[in-house]
Amino acid sequence: MIEMQDVTKKYPNKTTAVRGISIHISQGEFVYVVGPSGSGKSTFIKLMYREEKATSGQKLEVARHDLLKIKNKEVPYLRRDVGVVFQDFKLLPRKTVYENIAYAMQVIGRKPREIKKRVMEVLDLVGLKHKVRVFPSELSGGEQQRVSIARAIVNTPKVLIADEPTGNLDPETSWEIMHLLERINNQGTTVVMATHNKTIVDTMRHRLIAIENGLIVRDEAEGEYEFDD
Ligand code: ADP
Ligand code: ADP
């Protein structure tokens, strides 16, 4: 589902954030990406949804898209297959919960009836059907994250990328979000999640990729967090 061979990302300021990384992530896997601040986690996952372009590499494929060759105008097709969730939710403040989620389907030309049915379906999955008409500012942090997850999966992506999805949430709410991500993973979606949350990583065990200084230093089936931050 995700394949990298010797992928490097050097920013224009000459910082090399990812140094010749190779990985293979299969369909249906749940993978944590951990490492100290500034180690290259965000850059590594941004390469997967083409938020950043690789500087060089032998191969960079995600959900059958060749990200070394993809043109800017083809990126929307990639984004149908790769949903993204952020630490700060990134919901549109002037749109309701319904509109925030529906928008992702509107931009790819789905029919209004189809959109309505699917939006209610994903809102049901995240347990927020009763909040369909409210604005993001009227929701708690955990609820906003659930809306952002609903938006990320509304087009049934093959891969869900999450960049510190529990970073702004209290422990109890973080667990709710983790159970939701696990449920989505159990339905067949590949999940890649960058995190600093030692408790979650050590409790809900999954494959763990540890990055330091732009390099993969560990890749373990059910690894522990092991960093001191
Ligand atoms: P992490 O997510 O592990 O904190 P990042 O991928 O954000 O790491 O950063 C890795 C390195 O790349 C850091 O040295 C950071 O300062 C640098 N970096 C990140 N984004 C940019 C950018 N847009 N331009 C220049 N340097 C960047
Ligand atoms: P928690 O602390 O459990 O994350 P909050 O105390 O922020 O959640 O919110 C509890 C409930 O109150 C939620 O259902 C949320 O939707 C609602 N709520 C929070 N802030 C507002 C607001 N400004 N306007 C309307 N409802 C709100």
Side-chain angles (χ1 to χ4, degrees):
M1 190 54 58
I2 300 174
E3 176 106 34
M4 291 191 183
Q5 281 175 22
D6 201 19
V7 170
T8 290
K9 172 65 186 181
K10 191 172 179 178
Y11 285 108
N13 68 0
K14 309 280 190 263
T15 304
T16 304
V18 166
R19 300 171 189 272
I21 279 184
S22 300
I23 47 140
H24 178 95
I25 295 173
S26 301
Q27 179 171 7
E29 281 197 82
F30 193 123
V31 182
Y32 293 122
V33 178
V34 303
S37 283
S39 59
K41 299 181 297 296
S42 292
T43 304
F44 175 59
I45 65 174
K46 281 176 180 168
L47 289 167
M48 295 177 187
Y49 58 98
R50 198 20 155 76
E51 179 68 23
E52 294 292 349
K53 279 189 203 180
T55 315
S56 66
Q58 292 299 309
K59 196 171 195 181
L60 176 44
E61 276 183 21
V62 178
R64 300 216 175 107
H65 298 268
D66 181 346
L67 303 205
L68 295 177
K69 293 219 184 99
I70 194 171
K71 302 205 169 64
N72 287 338
K73 66 168 194 275
E74 295 163 349
V75 171
Y77 296 95
L78 170 72
R79 300 280 166 84
R80 291 182 197 189
D81 292 328
V82 183
V84 189
V85 173
F86 304 95
Q87 175 171 6
D88 60 358
F89 325 130
K90 297 199 193 299
L91 297 171
L92 301 168
R94 293 176 195 286
K95 290 189 185 289
T96 64
V97 165
Y98 182 88
E99 292 162 349
N100 264 282
I101 301 168
Y103 185 69
M105 293 185 79
Q106 285 158 358
V107 295
I108 65 167
R110 299 291 182 199
K111 297 191 185 80
R113 246 183 50 205
E114 194 185 359
I115 294 174
K116 191 166 180 205
K117 180 162 173 281
R118 178 63 182 157
V119 171
M120 294 318 290
E121 205 172 278
V122 290
L123 269 177
D124 195 27
L125 177 76
V126 303
L128 285 179
K129 255 176 146 172
H130 58 298
K131 299 284 184 181
V132 60
R133 291 175 200 290
V134 312
F135 289 90
S137 61
E138 301 174 272
L139 297 173
S140 70
E143 290 170 331
Q144 289 183 57
Q145 192 57 297
R146 286 193 270 158
V147 173
S148 98
I149 291 170
R151 176 181 61 182
I153 63 167
V154 73
N155 291 320
T156 57
K158 298 183 179 69
V159 179
L160 181 63
I161 311 264
D163 197 350
E164 307 236 15
T166 64
N168 283 346
L169 306 175
D170 60 57
E172 195 188 320
T173 311
S174 297
W175 280 114
E176 286 169 21
I177 294 300
M178 289 311 297
H179 290 305
L180 184 53
L181 293 179
E182 187 127 291
R183 221 157 99 211
I184 291 163
N185 176 241
N186 287 336
Q187 294 176 354
T189 310
T190 307
V191 175
V192 179
M193 168 178 161
T195 185
H196 273 112
N197 196 315
K198 174 178 166 57
T199 310
I200 285 174
V201 168
D202 289 350
T203 308
M204 192 181 264
R205 294 292 179 96
H206 289 295
R207 179 175 171 188
L208 175 138
I209 293 176
I211 301 191
E212 275 182 277
N213 195 22
L215 295 168
I216 292 179
V217 292
R218 287 189 286 140
D219 184 350
E220 300 165 349
E222 298 201 325
E224 290 191 34
Y225 189 75
E226 288 184 13
F227 291 103
D228 295 328
D229 57 4

